[in-house]
Amino acid sequence: MAIFTKVTKSQYQVRYYSAPLEMAIPPSKKKYIPSSGTYPKGFLVSGTHVGVKASNTKFPDLALILSEVPCSAAAVFTTNKFQAAPVQVSRETLRKRHGQGIRSVVINSGCANAVTGRAGLEDAANMGKKVDECNGLKEESTIVMSTGVIGQRLPISKILDKIPTAYSTLASTHDAWLTTARAICTTDTFPKLLSTTFTLPSSPDRQYSLAGMTKGAGMIHPNMATLLGVLCTDAPIAPTILHPLLTHAVSRSFNSISIDGDTSTNDTIALLANGAAGGTPISSPSSDDYTAMQNILTGFAQSLSQLVVRDGEGATKFVTVRILNSPDYNSARLIASTIARSPLVKTALYGGDANWGRILCAIGYTQGVAPGTVVPERTSVSFKPVDGSPELKLLVNGEPEQVDEDRASAILQDEDLEIVVDLGGGERGEKGLGGEEAVYWFCDFSHEYVTINGDYRT
Amino acid sequence: MAIFTKVTKSQYQVRYYSAPLEMAIPPSKKKYIPSSGTYPKGFLVSGTHVGVKASNTKFPDLALILSEVPCSAAAVFTTNKFQAAPVQVSRETLRKRHGQGIRSVVINSGCANAVTGRAGLEDAANMGKKVDECNGLKEESTIVMSTGVIGQRLPISKILDKIPTAYSTLASTHDAWLTTARAICTTDTFPKLLSTTFTLPSSPDRQYSLAGMTKGAGMIHPNMATLLGVLCTDAPIAPTILHPLLTHAVSRSFNSISIDGDTSTNDTIALLANGAAGGTPISSPSSDDYTAMQNILTGFAQSLSQLVVRDGEGATKFVTVRILNSPDYNSARLIASTIARSPLVKTALYGGDANWGRILCAIGYTQGVAPGTVVPERTSVSFKPVDGSPELKLLVNGEPEQVDEDRASAILQDEDLEIVVDLGGGERGEKGLGGEEAVYWFCDFSHEYVTINGDYRT
């Protein structure tokens, strides 16, 4: 840590290791916190202080989300081979219940309950059971999530003792949703909560709502990492189609962002649909309602996942990388992901350095790309400013441009940037462009990232 | 860059963006610089100031290595799809000459001559031609390397003008070798030069020498990255077996280290054997001499490549990660590489934080591992101190140990650390341990890394 511990905290962005104080939210991030919302009918939520970390003496660290009626539910989980206890327990619950009859989600921050052996599995199961008891239910009806340090047992008695409090304080107000969103935070500097309303083609006069909360902020990379998310809607969706709907949305949102390329043991995104707003259930993937729901859910998940990038640990930049004219989608996605993970690209962006050679480098060393995808003489790279001014060409068909460094620096001063890589159709370029496109969202790599992660457990 | 530019340079490790001043070598790194050496017969070297970067007004940035007699030569090059001009030119020279008749290596630092189109290819070829002219040779006999910023043309006239100076100052002294090693440095804080003597089974009384120089320091990851290296020996080795010898050594050395996981456009490791010390040429891979040479070369390349890790950009730690009892070698290597690349592992090591959960995480998300390799209940992780004291067990067969945090912190204070991951044979563990082992060397991720790479081009 050397000299940087001597820098007073006020000199850089303050970041707490548990849910942040309201007053500590950086001024630049306040615009991402909604001051009101329209939340789905029949859902009640609460955020409660437990003190999972002994050092947390007052901030909420237990989130409870409950539906007054049984929900269709689906979840996508981390692909890490070390699966945290709550991941194992929740997957089993969803399997047993065939994605039906789910009533609640309970989440603690401050401890991941990962790599905790058999005892950890019991702890996770007991968290869910306690919620079901409060709810008067005998069958497993609760999805459990945890986030925080790996390899430590949960202070399970403290958590179980506070679940009745969490239950008794459930509410449907905007403030309740915001407190709940805050309770799942770890190194996040602001709670991530969004809500929206929509209609479906089959009943254009009926208003549905969709709300979601998520948390980051380190270890974010597909397939997800210390990333938790809960999406709730009062639209009626059959359990059989909930999982494909969620998978489609997540692959284009939470699995298309990168903070540091690390992938955690605990990641879970759950979707609950309670149908409380009425209407005909969506049950066929070939219906207009399904298509509409898919678009709404995917767009919403993208907006929500972008908040995670905005709050990437130490992030000062929000970068979109768009790969155009790739012969195939998978190669485009791999290239986007590799650029998004490159420490050299990320530090150059942090330093406001238009070092596009590093972007090329990352394109060139991407593993697993189909042969003939990357042809240097067909590759072009440019920066696209967010203010709508013309893009700045850096490389055109493999030849470097005379770059206006002043304009490049000016573009890199903005918080937002889009990097466009045009593969020109790869080897098939002469016969016409390939046309596949992939997008990734990522942030830069800063001193602050190192500070946060050099000393996370203290 | 924000507040950190206000920290005076003397407060942290000084690092220049061109060859470092002798006086600027950090005290902790001085022990890695040899004060004498025994160099292979028939090789002459020089380091000359050109000023490839206009800001470099006095440090050597042009290295010339010449053999008085024709050499067998081989090289391994970057696998990046964007191959720098010198890589393309040198590969073609070796192909044309069938790995024989090579006389020199010329290297500039300060500009990579990468992504510079046709003009860049001409520049690289002209560098080689100029050396051959000085040497009175008409056929291409020179390997060319460049390192530095991507996407800028070489100041080729300045370089060509100085090649005769470089040629006229060739020498075989230790100081000449050290100046040459310094001339290839970029962000390195110290020149990396080693030499050794050895004998071969067929002529135990004949002394051979092997010398090598290399440079890092960012973008190091297989298959190599802004990594240049030259190995010279006066042993007689047939060109047909030089390439397999080099490939074997590099895969276990330069391709088993990681600074940041980025892979560059310019990486080249060349091996020259001029036979000037006499004796029977090694020509059969089944001979004892071949086996001996392979072991000597591999061990030497490992020592040389470890110097690159010691000088990783911003590095404060030298970490060995050893994967034991893997069902197959490739999976073990992938896991080692993934741990070595994880920003979360690297920042935790920098912070002296025994956050072994992040090591597990990295094991768990390693891509491409054979099924049944990673079984949580068979996985053990420990820290092995370099002082010979007993290892500190962190996880045993998937169950976390009660870790003595004081001892963990003490171990993490040392510059050197070994992380041991025992896969217990994976799924086949019950029938006996798998036994494959892979080793990687890497460094931590520091504030200094971000500082260096946030502002490299200025």
Side-chain angles (χ1 to χ4, degrees):
Chain A
M1 302 300 295
I3 58 161
F4 296 101
T5 51
K6 304 228 167 74
V7 176
T8 63
K9 283 209 169 180
S10 61
Q11 285 182 264
Y12 54 90
Q13 183 180 305
V14 175
R15 193 176 272 271
Y16 290 85
Y17 297 122
S18 190
L21 262 172
E22 184 160 19
M23 55 181 289
I25 292 171
S28 64
K29 301 294 168 76
K30 285 198 172 138
K31 62 187 173 212
Y32 301 118
I33 303 169
S35 54
S36 66
T38 306
Y39 296 96
K41 294 183 186 68
F43 282 98
L44 298 167
V45 299
S46 69
T48 305
H49 170 253
V50 171
V52 173
K53 277 193 166 184
S55 59
N56 172 12
T57 55
K58 59 178 176 180
F59 307 117
D61 52 4
L62 182 72
L64 182 58
I65 295 146
L66 183 129
S67 169
E68 294 170 325
V69 295
C71 299
S72 300
V76 288
F77 298 101
T78 180
T79 58
N80 197 299
K81 291 208 178 60
F82 291 89
Q83 306 235 324
V87 167
Q88 297 180 56
V89 165
S90 296
R91 178 182 280 125
E92 179 61 16
T93 298
L94 284 168
R95 192 194 61 76
K96 259 193 183 166
R97 302 299 305 267
H98 305 286
Q100 297 177 69
I102 299 299
R103 291 288 294 277
S104 349
V105 181
V106 64
I107 310 170
N108 75 275
S109 58
C111 173
N113 190 12
V115 200
T116 43
R118 266 180 299 269
L121 285 171
E122 280 171 30
D123 292 346
N126 285 335
M127 276 175 69
K129 260 185 212 152
K130 188 76 181 183
V131 173
D132 293 336
E133 270 173 39
C134 290
N135 224 353
L137 299 168
K138 288 196 173 150
E139 239 179 322
E140 290 95 324
S141 310
T142 299
I143 293 169
V144 182
M145 306 183 196
S146 297
T147 176
V149 178
I150 296 173
Q152 295 181 0
R153 286 282 302 278
L154 286 176
I156 187 66
S157 313
K158 280 165 88 176
I159 293 174
L160 296 181
D161 286 354
K162 280 294 181 79
I163 285 177
T165 310
Y167 190 80
S168 67
T169 53
L170 286 165
S172 60
T173 59
H174 171 71
D175 280 355
W177 279 88
L178 202 56
T179 305
T180 309
R182 185 168 295 150
I184 69 174
C185 292
T186 53
T187 57
D188 307 68
T189 65
F190 65 92
K192 292 159 192 72
L193 173 69
L194 288 178
S195 64
T196 189
T197 58
F198 62 96
T199 59
L200 291 171
S202 68
S203 54
D205 297 329
R206 190 184 298 272
Q207 179 179 286
Y208 293 109
S209 295
L210 173 60
M213 61 184 71
T214 187
K215 57 86 51 182
M219 295 180 87
I220 305 301
H221 193 80
N223 290 293
M224 303 197 296
T226 320
L227 184 70
L228 300 181
V230 184
L231 303 166
C232 301
T233 182
D234 50 18
I237 311 178
T240 46
I241 62 159
L242 208 61
H243 199 269
L245 272 175
L246 181 62
T247 305
H248 182 275
V250 167
S251 77
R252 283 153 185 81
S253 57
F254 290 101
N255 278 345
S256 289
I257 61 175
S258 185
I259 305 297
D260 55 18
D262 277 29
T263 309
S264 101
T265 51
N266 287 59
D267 314 319
T268 308
I269 306 279
L271 170 60
L272 276 69
N274 68 1
T280 317
I282 311 174
S283 58
S284 161
S286 57
S287 64
D288 289 348
D289 280 3
Y290 182 92
T291 307
M293 192 69 224
Q294 187 173 70
N295 291 338
I296 289 154
L297 193 67
T298 302
F300 186 80
Q302 282 176 348
S303 300
L304 201 56
S305 67
Q306 287 171 13
L307 290 179
V308 176
V309 179
R310 295 266 175 214
D311 200 21
E313 286 176 344
T316 72
K317 294 250 185 294
F318 177 87
V319 189
T320 303
V321 57
R322 193 177 300 274
I323 314 297
L324 300 177
N325 294 312
S326 170
D328 68 293
Y329 172 72
N330 189 48
S331 295
R333 200 177 145 84
L334 286 170
I335 291 168
S337 158
T338 304
I339 294 171
R341 289 180 69 168
S342 161
L344 287 174
V345 170
K346 291 160 91 83
T347 47
L349 290 168
Y350 171 60
D353 181 2
N355 197 331
W356 55 268
R358 296 179 177 177
I359 298 169
L360 271 202
C361 247
I363 299 168
Y365 69 72
T366 303
Q367 301 290 306
V369 164
T373 301
V374 178
V375 180
E377 303 75 47
R378 293 194 193 287
T379 306
S380 303
V381 178
S382 59
F383 286 163
K384 195 171 164 188
V386 285
D387 63 5
S389 60
E391 63 180 18
L392 179 70
K393 291 179 180 178
L394 302 166
L395 184 85
V396 176
N397 294 324
E399 297 278 346
E401 292 283 291
Q402 282 293 347
V403 175
D404 176 346
E405 293 281 348
D406 288 343
R407 177 140 191 259
S409 295
I411 291 173
L412 286 166
Q413 291 305 308
D414 283 331
E415 183 182 332
D416 286 39
L417 172 73
E418 182 167 329
I419 297 168
V420 180
V421 175
D422 190 331
L423 297 175
E427 266 182 7
R428 290 180 290 176
E430 280 183 298
K431 295 173 192 168
L433 300 180
E436 289 290 340
E437 177 177 337
V439 184
Y440 240 78
W441 298 278
F442 69 104
C443 59
D444 56 342
F445 235 147
S446 68
H447 290 107
E448 178 70 359
Y449 176 88
V450 178
T451 300
I452 294 166
N453 285 297
D455 200 23
Y456 176 66
R457 299 191 315 159
T458 53
Chain B
M1 303 298 296
I3 57 161
F4 296 102
T5 52
K6 305 231 167 72
V7 177
T8 63
K9 282 209 169 180
S10 62
Q11 284 182 265
Y12 54 91
Q13 184 181 305
V14 174
R15 192 176 272 270
Y16 290 85
Y17 298 122
S18 189
L21 262 173
E22 185 160 19
M23 55 180 288
I25 291 170
S28 64
K29 301 294 168 76
K30 286 199 171 137
K31 63 188 173 212
Y32 301 118
I33 303 169
S35 55
S36 67
T38 305
Y39 297 96
K41 295 182 185 68
F43 282 99
L44 298 167
V45 299
S46 69
T48 304
H49 171 252
V50 171
V52 173
K53 277 194 167 184
S55 58
N56 173 13
T57 56
K58 59 178 175 180
F59 307 119
D61 51 3
L62 181 72
L64 182 59
I65 295 146
L66 182 128
S67 169
E68 293 170 326
V69 295
C71 299
S72 299
V76 287
F77 298 102
T78 179
T79 58
N80 197 299
K81 290 207 178 61
F82 291 89
Q83 307 234 325
V87 167
Q88 297 180 56
V89 166
S90 297
R91 177 182 280 126
E92 179 61 14
T93 298
L94 285 167
R95 191 194 62 76
K96 261 194 183 166
R97 302 301 305 265
H98 304 288
Q100 297 178 68
I102 299 301
R103 291 287 295 277
S104 348
V105 181
V106 64
I107 309 171
N108 76 275
S109 58
C111 174
N113 191 11
V115 200
T116 43
R118 266 181 300 270
L121 285 171
E122 281 171 29
D123 292 346
N126 285 334
M127 277 175 68
K129 260 185 211 151
K130 188 76 180 182
V131 173
D132 293 336
E133 270 172 39
C134 291
N135 224 352
L137 299 169
K138 289 195 175 153
E139 239 178 323
E140 290 96 325
S141 310
T142 299
I143 292 170
V144 183
M145 306 184 195
S146 298
T147 175
V149 178
I150 296 172
Q152 296 181 0
R153 285 283 301 279
L154 286 177
I156 188 65
S157 314
K158 280 165 90 174
I159 294 175
L160 297 181
D161 286 353
K162 280 295 181 80
I163 285 178
T165 310
Y167 189 80
S168 66
T169 53
L170 286 164
S172 60
T173 60
H174 171 71
D175 279 356
W177 279 89
L178 202 57
T179 305
T180 309
R182 186 168 295 150
I184 67 174
C185 291
T186 52
T187 57
D188 306 68
T189 65
F190 65 92
K192 291 159 193 74
L193 174 69
L194 288 178
S195 64
T196 188
T197 59
F198 62 95
T199 59
L200 291 171
S202 67
S203 54
D205 297 330
R206 190 184 299 272
Q207 179 179 285
Y208 293 109
S209 294
L210 175 60
M213 63 184 70
T214 187
K215 58 86 52 183
M219 295 180 85
I220 306 301
H221 193 80
N223 289 292
M224 304 196 297
T226 319
L227 183 70
L228 301 181
V230 183
L231 303 166
C232 301
T233 181
D234 50 17
I237 310 176
T240 46
I241 61 160
L242 209 61
H243 200 269
L245 272 175
L246 181 62
T247 306
H248 183 274
V250 167
S251 78
R252 283 154 185 81
S253 57
F254 290 100
N255 279 345
S256 287
I257 61 176
S258 186
I259 305 297
D260 54 19
D262 277 29
T263 308
S264 99
T265 51
N266 287 58
D267 314 320
T268 308
I269 305 281
L271 170 60
L272 275 69
N274 68 1
T280 316
I282 311 174
S283 59
S284 161
S286 58
S287 65
D288 288 349
D289 280 4
Y290 183 93
T291 308
M293 192 71 225
Q294 187 172 71
N295 290 338
I296 289 154
L297 194 67
T298 303
F300 186 81
Q302 281 175 348
S303 300
L304 201 56
S305 68
Q306 286 170 15
L307 291 179
V308 176
V309 179
R310 295 267 175 213
D311 201 20
E313 285 175 344
T316 72
K317 294 249 185 294
F318 177 88
V319 188
T320 303
V321 57
R322 192 177 300 275
I323 314 297
L324 300 176
N325 295 313
S326 170
D328 69 293
Y329 172 72
N330 188 49
S331 296
R333 200 177 145 83
L334 287 170
I335 291 168
S337 157
T338 304
I339 294 171
R341 290 180 69 167
S342 160
L344 287 174
V345 169
K346 291 161 92 82
T347 47
L349 289 168
Y350 171 60
D353 181 2
N355 197 331
W356 55 267
R358 295 180 178 176
I359 299 170
L360 271 202
C361 247
I363 299 168
Y365 69 71
T366 303
Q367 301 290 306
V369 164
T373 302
V374 178
V375 180
E377 303 76 45
R378 293 194 193 289
T379 306
S380 302
V381 178
S382 58
F383 286 164
K384 194 171 163 188
V386 285
D387 63 5
S389 62
E391 63 179 19
L392 179 71
K393 292 180 179 176
L394 302 165
L395 184 84
V396 175
N397 294 324
E399 296 278 345
E401 291 284 289
Q402 282 292 345
V403 175
D404 176 346
E405 293 280 350
D406 288 343
R407 176 138 192 263
S409 294
I411 291 173
L412 286 166
Q413 291 304 307
D414 283 331
E415 184 183 333
D416 286 39
L417 172 73
E418 181 168 330
I419 298 168
V420 180
V421 175
D422 190 330
L423 297 176
E427 264 182 10
R428 292 179 290 176
E430 280 183 299
K431 295 173 190 167
L433 299 180
E436 290 289 341
E437 177 177 336
V439 184
Y440 240 77
W441 298 278
F442 68 104
C443 58
D444 56 341
F445 235 146
S446 67
H447 290 105
E448 179 69 0
Y449 176 88
V450 178
T451 299
I452 293 166
N453 285 297
D455 201 22
Y456 176 65
R457 299 191 315 159
T458 53

